Amino acid sequence: MVWNSGWRLASASSNAGILGLIGAGSMYPEVLRVHIQKCKKATSKPFGVNVPLLYPDIEALMAVIVEEGVSIVFTSAGNPKTWTHWLQARGITVVHVVSSLKFALKAQDAGVDAVVAEGFEAGGHNGRDETTTLTLIPAVKARVTLPVIAAGGIASGRSMLACMALGADGVQIGSRFVASTESSAHQAFKNAVIDAKEGDTKLTLKELTPVRLLKNKFYNTVEALYKKQSTVEELSALLGKGRAKLGMFEGDLDHGELEIGQVSSTINEIQPVQQIVTTIIKEYNEASTHLYKL
């Protein structure tokens, strides 16, 4: 949710009764501090921060989180052993995002408090193994003793209920909230998300960091390099710096990186967070009642 989930989306989510997360992957430490402070003013409810562990200034980022009294951290894109005990020693609950059973077991060994098991359908950075949520959740649930939060391809109450039936203890939803009023994404990107059709996204750039992208001119250039059997260095040079910001935050739909999940094809409207949450819970309850009758 880099460039999508700042303090407005996080606080609106928490105020709506779910756990809002600030996406720190696009923030310098002092920018994160401002977002945390504004979030604390906008909500009295709990919220957390998602931290990609490949962040170049990770020590400063973690220091800000502790100094500002954040109580929940979701870590991703790195080894959970590096920071889990350090954060927990400072009273912080640690949840780690994984894309496979192997990494779920490693996260458990690292001592995290819960795992987010994210299937191949998810947007943004993803797993290389292409394990779907339908396969991943029961596999992880059968082998770990931690709470398991399902992610990837979830945007409705029905999909939430399906994940709970697979054994999940909760769900994490990203793409649906990109197309929210409070998301910090550029309006052009939000419009592209609700216009997306089946097959408009694809997981690519596995040689660097696997990422699911909405197809555009940048994506087509990536595919052209693959056809030429280009090197990792050539792919890295094309990706360069700031592609995600260019696409999702600044609205360059041609040359930017547009990270979104497969479920974008089912999202048809930009709505306030409260309305999205209310609809999801309503759908969940209706689907649960329907299954009970069956």
Side-chain angles (χ1 to χ4, degrees), residues 3-5 178-180 182-190 248-249:
W3 301 113
N4 293 278
S5 188
V178 170
S180 69
E182 295 89 347
S183 164
S184 53
H186 194 280
Q187 188 64 40
F189 177 49
K190 295 182 186 182
M248 295 185 285
F249 192 69

Side-chain angles (χ1 to χ4, degrees), residues 1-211:
M1 291 290 282
V2 295
W3 301 113
N4 293 278
S5 188
W7 70 269
R8 288 185 178 86
L9 179 53
S11 62
S13 298
S14 292
N15 285 334
I18 63 177
L19 179 67
L21 294 177
I22 296 173
S26 56
M27 299 178 183
Y28 292 112
E30 288 310 309
V31 173
L32 175 61
R33 188 188 301 277
V34 171
H35 277 264
I36 293 171
Q37 292 176 349
K38 288 185 175 181
C39 199
K40 286 192 288 188
K41 290 179 180 178
T43 183
S44 60
K45 305 295 178 60
F47 66 90
V49 175
N50 175 278
V51 184
L53 296 176
L54 47 71
Y55 190 88
D57 201 9
I58 190 74
E59 291 85 2
L61 198 74
M62 292 300 191
V64 167
I65 286 170
V66 172
E67 289 165 10
E68 293 299 328
V70 175
S71 59
I72 303 168
V73 169
F74 280 51
T75 55
S76 58
N79 186 351
K81 285 186 178 179
T82 310
W83 288 98
T84 294
H85 292 308
W86 186 90
L87 290 166
Q88 290 171 334
R90 287 153 179 82
I92 297 173
T93 298
V94 179
V95 182
H96 191 65
V97 182
V98 300
S99 59
S100 68
L101 172 60
K102 176 178 72 175
F103 288 122
L105 293 171
K106 287 186 175 182
Q108 179 169 258
D109 290 341
V112 302
D113 297 291
V115 293
V116 174
E118 183 177 80
F120 161 73
E121 303 93 326
H125 294 293
N126 212 313
R128 289 180 170 84
D129 297 328
E130 301 191 7
T131 306
T132 65
T133 303
L134 192 68
T135 301
L136 181 62
I137 300 307
V140 171
K141 188 65 179 180
R143 295 287 301 278
V144 303
T145 57
L146 302 171
V148 176
I149 301 166
I154 306 164
S156 69
R158 292 182 297 276
S159 52
M160 177 180 171
L161 180 62
C163 289
M164 306 298 258
L166 292 172
D169 299 291
V171 299
Q172 177 175 277
I173 299 175
S175 294
R176 181 63 193 94
F177 290 102
V178 170
S180 69
T181 306
E182 295 89 347
S183 164
S184 53
H186 194 280
Q187 188 64 40
F189 177 49
K190 295 182 186 182
N191 291 339
V193 170
I194 64 173
D195 288 341
K197 302 295 186 293
E198 182 180 3
D200 282 353
T201 70
K202 188 174 180 181
L203 187 67
T204 187
L205 293 170
K206 288 187 180 182
E207 293 81 359
L208 301 174
T209 304
V211 62

